[in-house]
């Protein structure tokens, strides 16, 4: 077994015994111990009382983080004619139709968000096996199949994040960078928790928000009091 580095040992010691603390306490702890040589992301993981194998217990949606993500989001748009021009003017990184489909089919996916106008879905539908597993498939329920491509592109570039529950009932997302002010990180975290909370599906039974954990890219996780996260 490899030797545990001093940074990891120090972080573990700082986090030891700290559980179910407030968002503000967790943010300060994470910021103080994010000592990697790059600006670490701050990630949230939420354990939900759902079984996404059942359609009436699926949780998915979008939320615009008030202070952005700190990441540059590359946006691809499937559109033709005036809508393609609209997408380019709004700042889309890649715009196309059949030509873009061929690029994606070839395995070249150089984007983080995919948007399509409704008339493009017969083309985009052929890419389900490629885009689906990467959570990039456009979906009208989360606003990525739309005629208002300008708004969709601007939202993606302006701090909107998508979330979707995984098989084990977990939702996770990056909610900012360790370099963010503590107050801004806390605002982003509360906005994300609020969005997931409001997305509670009809089929969910028992406790919906079971556990919330925050961490930085290279740091250990710390559990946050659900009550603290759901009350401003």
């Amino acid at each position: 077994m490899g030797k545990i580095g001093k940074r990891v040992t120090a972080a573990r010691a700082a986090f030891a015994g700290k559980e179910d603390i407030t968002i503000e306490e967790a943010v300060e702890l994470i910021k103080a111990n994010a000592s990697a040589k790059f600006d670490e992301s701050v990630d949230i993981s939420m354990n939900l009382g759902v079984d996404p194998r059942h359609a009436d217990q699926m949780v998915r949606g979008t939320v615009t983080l008030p202070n952005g993500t700190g990441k540059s989001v590359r946006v691809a748009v499937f559109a033709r004619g005036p809508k393609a021009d609209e997408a380019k003017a709004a700042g889309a990184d890649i715009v196309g139709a059949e030509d873009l489909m061929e690029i994606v089919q070839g395995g070249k996916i150089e984007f983080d968000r995919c948007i399509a106008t409704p008339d493009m879905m017969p083309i985009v539908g052929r890419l389900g096996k490629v885009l689906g597993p990467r959570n990039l498939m456009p979906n009208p329920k989360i606003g990525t199949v739309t005629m208002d491509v300008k708004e969709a592109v601007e939202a993606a570039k302006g701090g909107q994040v998508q979330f979707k529950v995984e098989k084990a009932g977990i939702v996770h997302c990056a909610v900012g960078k360790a370099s963010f002010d503590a107050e801004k990180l806390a605002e982003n975290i509360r906005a994300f928790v609020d969005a997931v909370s409001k997305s509670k599906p009809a089929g969910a039974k028992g406790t919906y928000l079971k556990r919330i954990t925050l961490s930085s890219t290279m740091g250990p996780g710390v559990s946050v009091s659900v009550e603290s996260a759901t009350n401003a």
Side-chain angles (χ1 to χ4, degrees):
M1 185 173 176
K3 186 178 178 181
I4 298 174
K6 291 181 181 179
R7 187 183 64 80
V8 175
T9 302
R12 286 182 178 176
F15 280 66
K18 295 184 171 67
E19 291 185 9
D20 291 333
I21 59 179
T22 67
I23 285 177
E24 286 72 21
E25 289 170 335
V27 166
E28 292 292 354
L29 187 62
I30 288 166
K31 282 176 62 65
N33 289 278
S35 56
K37 293 180 180 179
F38 61 93
D39 191 6
E40 296 181 53
S41 290
V42 175
D43 304 308
I44 186 169
S45 177
M46 300 177 66
N47 293 59
L48 307 179
V50 297
D51 183 350
R53 291 176 298 179
H54 300 289
D56 66 348
Q57 293 188 46
M58 174 52 68
V59 178
R60 73 181 303 166
T62 61
V63 57
T64 298
L65 300 178
N67 301 297
T69 62
K71 293 180 179 179
S72 177
V73 178
R74 300 168 299 172
V75 179
V77 178
F78 283 88
R80 287 195 183 99
K83 287 297 171 183
D85 296 336
E86 185 182 319
K88 290 174 185 174
D93 299 276
I94 308 167
V95 182
E98 286 85 358
D99 55 335
L100 182 52
M101 178 188 73
E102 290 174 5
I103 291 170
V104 174
Q105 283 179 328
K108 192 175 181 181
I109 300 176
E110 296 182 336
F111 51 86
D112 311 296
R113 183 72 61 88
C114 187
I115 296 162
T117 52
D119 58 300
M120 288 285 102
M121 287 313 290
I123 290 173
V124 180
R126 301 180 212 169
L127 302 171
K129 290 183 179 179
V130 181
L131 298 178
R134 294 173 172 82
N135 204 25
L136 289 170
M137 192 67 181
N139 187 316
K141 292 181 180 179
I142 55 174
T144 48
V145 177
T146 177
M147 287 300 288
D148 195 347
V149 293
K150 178 178 183 292
E151 182 181 348
V153 171
E154 290 176 348
K157 292 280 189 178
Q160 185 191 72
V161 295
Q162 299 176 348
F163 57 86
K164 181 181 179 182
V165 68
E166 297 176 353
K167 288 180 181 178
I170 297 171
V171 167
H172 62 82
C173 185
V175 289
K177 295 284 190 176
S179 61
F180 280 23
D181 290 342
E183 187 178 324
K184 290 184 176 180
L185 272 173
E187 285 178 1
N188 278 2
I189 292 163
R190 290 188 192 282
F192 186 83
V193 171
D194 184 56
V196 174
S197 182
K198 288 177 178 176
S199 299
K200 181 179 179 178
K205 298 178 178 65
T207 303
Y208 175 55
L209 300 180
K210 298 175 77 172
R211 183 179 173 86
I212 300 172
T213 304
L214 295 173
S215 64
S216 64
T217 305
M218 303 297 288
V222 59
S223 63
V224 170
S225 160
V226 173
E227 186 177 349
S228 156
T230 52
N231 293 317

